[in-house]
Amino acid sequence: MPLSIFGFRALWSPYFLMFILVLIAVYFYLTVKKRHLFKDSEPLKKSQAVLFLISMLLLYIIKGSPVDLMAHIMFTFHMVQMAFLYLVIPPLFISGVPNWIWKHVIELPSFNGIFRFFTKPLIALVMFNGLFSVYHIPMVMDYVKMNMFLHALYTVVLFVFALFLWWPLVNKLPGHYQLHGLKKVGYILGDGVLLTPACGLIIFAPEAMYATYTDGEMWMKAMELCVPGATLAGLNISGPELFTNMPAREDQQLGGVLMKIIQEIVLATILSKVFFEWYKKESTGVDPVDESLIQHDPRPAD
C-alpha cells in the first residue's frame, strides 16, 4: 500500500516543521539581532550557522518527514532514525550554537549543577548507553511506543543525554569538561563498546522481538504516535506487512546492523579528527597529552 493513505499531516508533520522554523528564528534572533544584549558575545560565525541549520534540517527529516512514519512501520527505519537523532545531530547542534550562548544557558542557577554532573565523561557515557539499551528491551519499547506521552518524554530525555554524551568530545567552552589525547580516544572506544550489547541482542535474536512491529493490534496503537486517530479509524489495514515484503526478523536484524554501522562511521570520523589534531600538535613540537587530560570546571559544585 502507498504511504499516502495516511495523509499529508502524517507524512510531513506541518506542526513539527513550524517548531523547527521557530527554533531557527529564535537562533538567529539571539545570535544576530539581540547579540549585543549578552555579555562576552561574539559575532556568529558562518560555520556555526551552517552546522546549526544542518542539524535542524536533519532533525526535520528524521522526525517530521515520511522517515518518521516509516520508522513506525519498519524497525530498520526506526534504528536509522535513532542513529541520526542521537549520534549525528547532537554534535552538529552543539558545534552550531556559539560558546557564549552555551555559557549563559549552562550558568542558569537551576541548571548549572545538573549540567556539570551529567557531562562528567564516565557518567555521560554510562547514562546515555544505559538509557538507550533499556529502551530497546522489548517489553519497555512496546510499552513506551503505545503511550504518546511516555514516547515523547523518553525521546526528549534520551536526546538530552545524547547532548551530555557528546559534550566532552566536541564542546570548546573554557572551564568545562573537555577530553584530550588518550582520554578522548578511550571515550570514543568506550562508547562503541557500550552500545554493542544492545545491537547484538537485536541482530542475533532468534525471532522478531517487538510486538509493535509484528502484532497488528499493538502496531495500530503505536501508529497513533504519528497518524491522527481519525485517519487510522477510517483505514482498513491489518499490520506493517502491507507496506513491506521484508520478514520481521530480517527487518530487525538489518536495523541493528545499520545502527552499528552508522555509529562506527560517526565514531571513526571523530577518531580520525582526534588523530589528525594530535599529529598536528606533535609536528609543531607540542606534547599532545598535557598534564590535565580532562579540564575540570574550576568552580566548586553546588
Side-chain angles (χ1 to χ4, degrees), residues 100-169:
W100 55 271
I101 291 285
W102 281 120
K103 182 178 179 181
H104 280 82
V105 172
I106 294 168
E107 290 183 351
L108 292 173
S110 58
F111 186 57
N112 184 269
I114 294 173
F115 188 90
R116 286 190 286 115
F117 177 78
F118 283 110
T119 52
K120 291 180 179 179
L122 183 59
I123 292 175
L125 200 62
V126 172
M127 287 299 297
F128 171 77
N129 286 285
L131 286 171
F132 182 89
S133 299
V134 168
Y135 179 75
H136 285 93
I137 296 173
M139 181 174 62
V140 174
M141 182 171 165
D142 287 336
Y143 183 77
V144 170
K145 282 177 69 67
M146 289 191 294
N147 185 301
M148 188 172 295
F149 173 76
L150 282 180
H151 184 265
L153 178 63
Y154 210 112
T155 299
V156 172
V157 168
L158 201 52
F159 185 78
V160 170
F161 276 93
L163 292 177
F164 292 157
L165 173 75
W166 286 100
W167 182 260
L169 280 176

Side-chain angles (χ1 to χ4, degrees), residues 12-133:
W12 297 105
S13 306
Y15 295 119
F16 189 70
L17 176 59
M18 291 175 60
F19 170 71
I20 294 295
L21 293 177
V22 168
L23 282 182
I24 294 174
V26 170
Y27 173 83
F28 284 106
Y29 181 74
L30 292 176
T31 58
V32 178
K33 191 173 181 60
K34 293 297 182 180
R35 179 176 62 84
H36 63 280
L37 298 178
F38 295 87
K39 183 182 178 181
D40 300 327
S41 63
E42 298 177 353
L44 179 66
K45 297 178 182 177
K46 183 178 179 180
S47 59
Q48 292 174 326
V50 169
L51 289 174
F52 182 82
L53 289 174
I54 291 175
S55 71
M56 291 297 100
L57 176 61
L58 288 176
L59 183 58
Y60 175 69
I61 291 173
I62 287 300
K63 292 295 292 182
S65 77
V67 172
D68 186 51
L69 180 60
M70 285 301 300
H72 293 285
I73 295 174
M74 293 183 65
F75 189 81
T76 295
F77 280 85
H78 162 76
M79 292 304 280
V80 170
Q81 183 185 57
M82 297 288 280
F84 274 86
L85 188 58
Y86 302 124
L87 301 179
V88 177
I89 294 174
L92 294 174
F93 179 78
I94 292 172
S95 301
V97 176
N99 280 341
W100 55 271
I101 291 285
W102 281 120
K103 182 178 179 181
H104 280 82
V105 172
I106 294 168
E107 290 183 351
L108 292 173
S110 58
F111 186 57
N112 184 269
I114 294 173
F115 188 90
R116 286 190 286 115
F117 177 78
F118 283 110
T119 52
K120 291 180 179 179
L122 183 59
I123 292 175
L125 200 62
V126 172
M127 287 299 297
F128 171 77
N129 286 285
L131 286 171
F132 182 89
S133 299

